[in-house]
């Protein structure tokens, strides 16, 4: 699938800003960005829920503006906000959504059962989702999105707010769907998931793609940086500004009691960094250099933390 110059405005605010992406068949493509980056807005335009203000979207070579039915039949969307009916059983939910794609009779029944089996909810067919855990609801939502066997499956933050067991189940089903021939677009603000799962990744920020490639290509952007984590006893009063003034330091972020410092690799500033903590009366608990990962890439490119 392909997105060209896709743009969405809400009033004067540009949520998606001339975004362009090419996703090859058979990929698990990751859209990584913090809250408000424009991921869901992009997906809602692909699914036809929102109208774009500019640009084009192509599914299997066809422009969705002129081939909306074709697009609908070939896409399965697992939305960020659950779309299931609490007063229908799990099976009725899947049947309902699969029915919207024109499936009827035996085919509809078999596909609905298969989809429920795929997400591990066969024994809950007759149960009502209002009694389900968050993870089970999410899995039901996946069943609703895949029963019509779409070629492209788009999942919008499918692991937010669910238990670890359901999370693993979902990550494994993404892999399985991909092995079965589906192309996947996987949206998340969890760097670890995207890094582990995706063949290629686009980092989005303020509605724009700011970097794109394999994990290796993305971390290659920052070979000239190092990341130092300083764990302190407490860090209520860190003078971030003067820490940033140390030669070579690019960004400073604080997560609980760990201060993450991204710095130019070739500048030896460890003494000054340690001196900073001593001068400010901060007790260092540990200090380590981290191997650069996608979080480092994100921090370096945006100056912000992925989870902010
Ligand atoms: N219907 C809307 N009206 C106004 N602003 C919106 C609307 N939907 C989303 N936005 C804004 O657009 C930006 C992108 O949102 P969203 O696509 O949901 O981001 P993400 O999914 O990456 O967290 C945010 O700043 C959000 O507040
Ligand atoms: Mg979102």
């Amino acid at each position: 699938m392909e997105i060209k110059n896709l743009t969405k405005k809400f009033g004067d605010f540009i949520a998606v800003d001339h975004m362009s992406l090419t996703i090859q068949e058979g990929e698990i493509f990751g859209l990584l960005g913090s809250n408000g980056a424009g991921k869901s807005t992009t997906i809602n335009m692909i699914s036809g829920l929102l109208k774009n203000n500019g640009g084009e979207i192509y599914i299997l070579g066809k422009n969705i503006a002129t081939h909306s039915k074709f697009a609908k039949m070939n896409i399965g969307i697992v939305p960020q906000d659950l779309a299931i009916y609490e007063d229908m059983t799990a099976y009725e939910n899947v049947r309902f959504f699969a029915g919207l794609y024109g499936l009827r009779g035996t085919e509809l029944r078999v596909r609905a059962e298969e989809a429920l089996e795929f997400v591990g909810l066969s024994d809950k067919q007759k149960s009502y989702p209002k009694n389900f855990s968050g993870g089970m609801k999410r899995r039901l939502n996946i069943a609703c999105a895949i029963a019509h066997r779409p070629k492209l499956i788009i999942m919008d933050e499918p692991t937010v707010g669910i238990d670890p067991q359901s999370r693993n189940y979902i990550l494994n089903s993404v892999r399985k769907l991909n092995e079965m021939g589906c192309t996947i677009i996987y949206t998340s603000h969890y760097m670890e998931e995207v890094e582990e799962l995706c063949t290629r990744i686009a980092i989005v920020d303020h509605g724009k793609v700011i970097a794109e490639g394999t994990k290796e290509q993305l971390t290659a952007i920052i070979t000239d940086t190092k990341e130092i984590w300083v764990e302190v006893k407490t860090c209520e009063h860190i003078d971030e500004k003067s820490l940033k003034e140390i030669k070579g330091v690019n960004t400073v972020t604080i997560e609980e009691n760990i201060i993450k410092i991204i710095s130019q690799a070739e500048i030896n500033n460890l003494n000054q960094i340690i001196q900073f903590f001593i001068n400010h009366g901060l007790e260092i608990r540990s200090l380590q250099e981290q191997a650069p990962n996608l979080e480092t890439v994100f921090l370096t490119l945006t100056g912000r933390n992925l989870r902010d």
Side-chain angles (χ1 to χ4, degrees):
M1 83 154 283
E2 200 176 355
I3 290 172
K4 281 187 193 162
N5 283 316
L6 191 64
T7 299
K8 179 70 196 176
K9 293 180 193 160
F10 295 111
D12 287 339
F13 177 73
I14 304 175
V16 177
D17 192 359
H18 297 86
M19 192 184 290
S20 295
L21 282 173
T22 303
I23 294 143
Q24 307 293 344
E25 258 180 69
E27 279 194 291
I28 305 181
F29 191 90
L31 270 186
L32 180 69
S34 53
N35 277 334
K39 305 181 295 297
S40 295
T41 305
T42 303
I43 286 169
N44 290 340
M45 287 188 279
I46 300 172
S47 70
L49 210 64
L50 277 178
K51 214 176 138 21
N52 53 328
N53 297 110
E56 292 116 45
I57 302 167
Y58 297 87
I59 306 282
L60 297 164
K62 295 195 165 120
N63 190 329
I64 70 163
T66 47
H67 295 82
S68 60
K69 177 127 192 277
F70 173 85
K72 189 181 146 201
M73 298 301 283
N74 284 288
I75 308 177
I77 303 239
V78 183
Q80 182 170 355
D81 300 319
L82 289 166
I84 46 179
Y85 294 99
E86 303 255 319
D87 54 353
M88 296 195 324
T89 64
Y91 175 71
E92 285 164 353
N93 264 284
V94 182
R95 250 188 93 100
F96 172 77
F97 283 100
L100 295 179
Y101 296 99
L103 296 182
R104 295 286 178 268
T106 313
E107 193 185 26
L108 175 58
R109 183 175 55 75
V110 172
R111 295 274 188 93
E113 284 170 5
E114 278 175 5
L116 280 165
E117 193 183 339
F118 186 83
V119 298
L121 290 176
S122 283
D123 56 340
K124 301 282 181 214
Q125 286 206 23
K126 296 196 174 93
S127 307
Y128 290 89
K130 59 173 175 279
N131 305 317
F132 285 7
S133 70
M136 284 162 72
K137 284 185 189 172
R138 189 60 73 179
R139 277 148 59 193
L140 176 58
N141 220 189
I142 294 175
C144 294
I146 63 173
H148 65 292
R149 296 195 185 158
K151 293 202 177 68
L152 175 69
I153 297 166
I154 306 178
M155 295 190 180
D156 195 358
E157 310 239 21
T159 56
V160 168
I162 66 174
D163 58 286
Q165 201 191 341
S166 285
R167 176 183 174 273
N168 284 339
Y169 206 102
I170 288 174
L171 296 185
N172 282 332
S173 47
V174 171
R175 291 191 192 96
K176 240 195 302 181
L177 285 164
N178 183 247
E179 279 161 20
M180 287 158 65
C182 296
T183 305
I184 317 272
I185 300 179
Y186 190 90
T187 290
S188 182
H189 67 280
Y190 295 130
M191 183 267 301
E192 304 87 344
E193 275 181 10
V194 170
E195 210 171 75
E196 178 187 319
L197 201 62
C198 298
T199 45
R200 280 196 313 133
I201 299 144
I203 299 179
V204 288
D205 195 44
H206 297 306
K208 287 194 179 84
V209 176
I210 55 169
E212 189 185 344
T214 61
K215 184 196 156 200
E216 289 72 25
Q217 287 167 337
L218 289 171
T219 42
I221 300 171
I222 51 158
T223 43
D224 57 344
T225 61
K226 63 182 172 190
E227 183 170 351
I228 300 151
W229 287 13
V230 186
E231 189 192 344
V232 292
K233 195 174 161 207
T234 52
C235 61
E236 278 148 34
H237 313 288
I238 298 274
D239 182 3
E240 269 181 72
K241 199 166 156 281
S242 28
L243 192 51
K244 272 189 203 146
E245 279 164 7
I246 295 175
K247 192 156 183 265
V249 173
N250 294 334
T251 49
V252 175
T253 50
I254 301 169
E255 254 179 64
E256 302 198 0
N257 57 336
I258 298 176
I259 295 98
K260 301 180 173 180
I261 301 162
I262 295 177
S263 170
Q264 289 170 43
E266 75 276 16
I267 294 177
N268 191 356
N269 49 12
L270 267 184
N271 275 2
Q272 286 100 306
I273 289 171
I274 293 168
Q275 196 62 51
F276 168 91
F277 285 88
I278 295 169
N279 290 349
H280 288 75
L282 295 157
E283 186 185 317
I284 297 177
R285 286 278 167 93
S286 72
L287 186 146
Q288 55 181 321
E289 198 167 325
Q290 286 295 117
N293 57 22
L294 288 183
E295 185 114 46
T296 326
V297 178
F298 188 87
L299 275 165
T300 307
L301 294 177
T302 67
R304 281 176 293 109
N305 209 299
L306 249 174
R307 267 147 227 203
D308 286 350

